[in-house]
Amino acid sequence: MASKFILLALLALSFSRTLASDPGQLQDFCVADRTSQVFVNGFACKDPKTAVVEDFFFSGLHMTGNTSNKQGSAVTAVNVAQIAGLNTLGISLARIDFAPYGQNPPHIHPRASEILTVLEGSLYVGFVTSNPENRLFSKVLNKGDVFVFPQGLIHFQFNTGDKEAIAIAALSSKNPGVITIANAVFGSKSSISNDILAKAFHVDKRIVDHIQAQF
Ligand SMILES: *[C@@H]1O[C@H](CO)[C@@H](O)[C@H](O)[C@H]1NC(C)=O
């Protein structure tokens, strides 16, 4: 009986490991070797003896992103692509700038939960839960407020003000990934058939063609 319980506990533990965002590191650091010909889940480590302080450093989050685009927002990501030393550490950062009434459109981070704080302005933010509830959790955030977007859920941020807004987001992966819903569904290369999208969105095919033409 006791051994059965231990077996179950071990199984539960091994499952929680499998579900964790990035694998736990087995050494102090594993600075990404982006030139490695070895393909692993993440990046191979460069020789730790050759690691330098710049492998753990990035400068630039003081800079305002260019929000002159259709969405009126700009994401400056600081993940393993910018800081090689983030490899295997399971964290990263982003600065998001918003033009007045600009938005970070509905998107997913397939590999990370996100915790966001507002530095300037006010943001209407939200996320939607999985099927079948598809419940929206939304709120207006002001300077200093903090909000959490659970891993893998569709979420967005919208600047409700007539001034620029700035947010900083921390993410639970060195490489969170982004899937912008509109781009992935209507702007895929090649296109998803308009028969499929018309049926999925309960609209006429011409409406799908019109949306696809925007991408
Ligand atoms: C911002 O982006 C727009 C559109 O791509 C471009 O025309 C403009 O030169 C950019 N501004 C700066 C300051 O880089």
Side-chain angles (χ1 to χ4, degrees), residues 67 71-72 97-103 158-165:
T67 59
Q71 300 298 326
D97 287 279
F98 301 85
Y101 308 110
Q103 66 171 5
F158 172 78
N159 181 4
T160 54
D162 57 7
K163 295 193 175 64
E164 279 77 21

Side-chain angles (χ1 to χ4, degrees), residues 165-214:
I166 306 171
I168 294 282
L171 297 117
S172 61
S173 171
K174 64 165 181 231
N175 182 21
V178 186
I179 301 169
T180 303
I181 306 307
N183 302 25
V185 175
F186 291 101
S188 64
K189 300 171 199 78
S190 54
S191 297
I192 300 176
S193 151
N194 60 4
D195 289 315
I196 292 172
L197 294 182
K199 203 165 173 179
F201 285 83
H202 311 288
V203 294
D204 195 273
K205 270 191 252 180
R206 279 168 304 180
I207 296 177
V208 172
D209 293 341
H210 178 74
I211 300 175
Q212 284 178 327
Q214 314 304 311

Side-chain angles (χ1 to χ4, degrees), residues 36-125:
S36 171
Q37 295 303 301
V38 181
F39 293 95
V40 293
N41 183 21
F43 291 98
C45 314
K46 79 176 192 182
D47 181 346
K49 288 193 281 299
T50 68
V52 290
V53 70
E54 272 64 35
D55 290 329
F56 303 91
F57 175 78
F58 170 86
S59 175
L61 281 198
H62 59 297
M63 312 252 284
T64 308
N66 185 349
T67 59
S68 302
N69 52 60
K70 279 189 182 165
Q71 300 298 326
S73 70
V75 177
T76 309
V78 188
N79 55 48
V80 72
Q82 288 75 31
I83 302 184
L86 276 178
N87 196 31
T88 75
L89 298 188
I91 52 169
S92 58
L93 209 59
R95 168 180 171 144
I96 313 154
D97 287 279
F98 301 85
Y101 308 110
Q103 66 171 5
N104 190 8
H107 63 281
I108 291 170
H109 302 294
R111 294 178 288 276
S113 293
E114 173 175 342
I115 182 165
L116 173 143
T117 187
V118 178
L119 298 187
E120 292 296 339
S122 297
L123 296 175
Y124 170 66
V125 305

